[in-house]
Amino acid sequence: MSAVHRKSIAELRAGLRAGEFSSAELARAFLDRIARFDPELNAYITVTEEQALGAARAADQRIAAGTAGALEGVPLAHKDIFCTLGVKTSCASRMLANFIAPYDATVVQNLARAGAVMLGKTNMDEFAMGSSNETSWYGPVRNPWKLSAVPGGSSGGSAAAVAARLAPAATGTDTGGSIRQPAALCGVSGIKPTYGAVSRYGMIAFASSLDQAGPIAASAEDLAWLLAAMQGFDARDSTSLDRPVPDYPALLQSAGDLKGLRIGLPREYFGAGLDGAVGAAVHEAIKVWERLGAKLVDISLPNSDLAVPAYYVVAPAECSSNLARFDGVRFGYRCEQPRDLMDLYKRSRGEGFGAEVKRRIMIGTYVLSSGYYDAYYIKAQKLRRLISDDFARAFKEVDVIAGPTAPETAFSLGAKAQDPLTMYLSDIYTIAANLAGLPAMSIPCGFAGDLPVGVQLIGNYFDEARLLGVAHRYQQETDWHRRLPEAFA
Ligand code: GLN
């Protein structure tokens, strides 16, 4: 049972099947780590100890009976944006601090069906709005590599939990970078699939045309196992894609040769604003792929600088509509002793939402208001098309696009909390993939000082298997993904 927290998903699967350890022992080991380390990290909002041990015992029985699912007995954590039957689902907001979900999100259901064991729900930015995990009603998460630094956001709890191995893997969501950016800042791997690949049913909506769920784990191989279980058509999500789910773990094995793979390097991703040491680590990673036979191609994504402005019109617009349902009437927070209906609405929303969420709702309401709709919202949708066209053109010349995930490493807690515009630039390299609906991932590729750096890979629609393969080949040559922060080793 020694050091199960250092094992990959494949090793956990093998160990469980070989009887080296039981799922109950595994769950216990991770629950013990959570009890020991989470007080300093704050990565979890809820730990579902009893439920985890019960699910683990059931998994052990299925393993013994020979009816094990693909992830049978493997523990994991869910971002607190996914509805979980009978378990608090807060979205890190005071608004939902009392909300017990009456059903499981499809992602939760799919992973449970594969046999995975939920350890708990992870901390995040309130309603997934943020890049630092500081907007959580439950307080900030700390970066396991440096406790005074942020883990990134919005899936910061999931990324920190995996980085400190308080879970072997966790789910996340990515509307503008919220899987990839925290993965980069915490030195772990994460993938945002093609829009529509993973069901959004039961995933609390932020910006529906951008939101996409995906896994965060130590390696691309681990991600392959998770994504294969998460993905799939769901009639309950109107944008779900009805396509067969590729056997990602099997496809990884054939990823071997990168000869002839064309990797595009967008010049706009390596310019001003990129930290020098981060850029250097990313270039080293690209050299590894070149050594493995890939061909590097300079490309241009000329509308890159429009991604952040377009996103900060579209995302708030959609959020202002999605968050209208939190009115103090049907569920969630309700103010004390409302005078009348208007007072109930105003105070419930005023007291239930935090500052960043309110800012987004106000911007969104403004850009959708008659008279401004064409000037802002329609304009942003047009920019979105230009950004998609940039990628379509690039993917005629290259197979994948590589660049930095984030412009810098993890910044100090509080450094940007009062400066939303600077905070918004944290996603300057990630947002375009959401606007276009493309799959993209981040894997660790070294350090700048003491802090991890992530390299981003963006693929064409439905090219997740190729992205995972390219990342996996890199991780066979390097060991950045195996490094653990000393205090959590
Ligand atoms: N940081 C971006 C935002 O604040 C993206 C968040 C996300 O992907 N959920 O909106």
Side-chain angles (χ1 to χ4, degrees), residues 3 18 90 93-94 139 186 192 212 218 220 223 225 241 318 365 397 404 423 431 449 462:
S90 74
S93 181
R94 184 183 194 189
C186 288
K192 177 199 94 70
Q212 186 58 201
L223 294 178
W225 283 105
L241 298 166
E318 294 185 18
T365 307
E397 283 177 62
M423 186 74 88
I431 278 175
F462 312 117

Side-chain angles (χ1 to χ4, degrees), residues 79 128-131 153-154 173-178 206 311-312 360 427:
K79 184 176 182 178
M129 297 171 196
S131 304
S154 66
T173 60
D174 192 312
T175 303
S178 278
F206 164 9
Y311 173 89
Y312 278 99
R360 306 274 179 119
D427 295 306

Side-chain angles (χ1 to χ4, degrees), residues 294-320:
K295 192 171 149 256
L296 306 182
V297 186
D298 283 317
I299 61 165
S300 173
L301 299 170
N303 294 296
S304 292
D305 59 337
L306 301 176
V308 172
Y311 173 89
Y312 278 99
V313 172
V314 173
E318 294 185 18
C319 110
S320 72

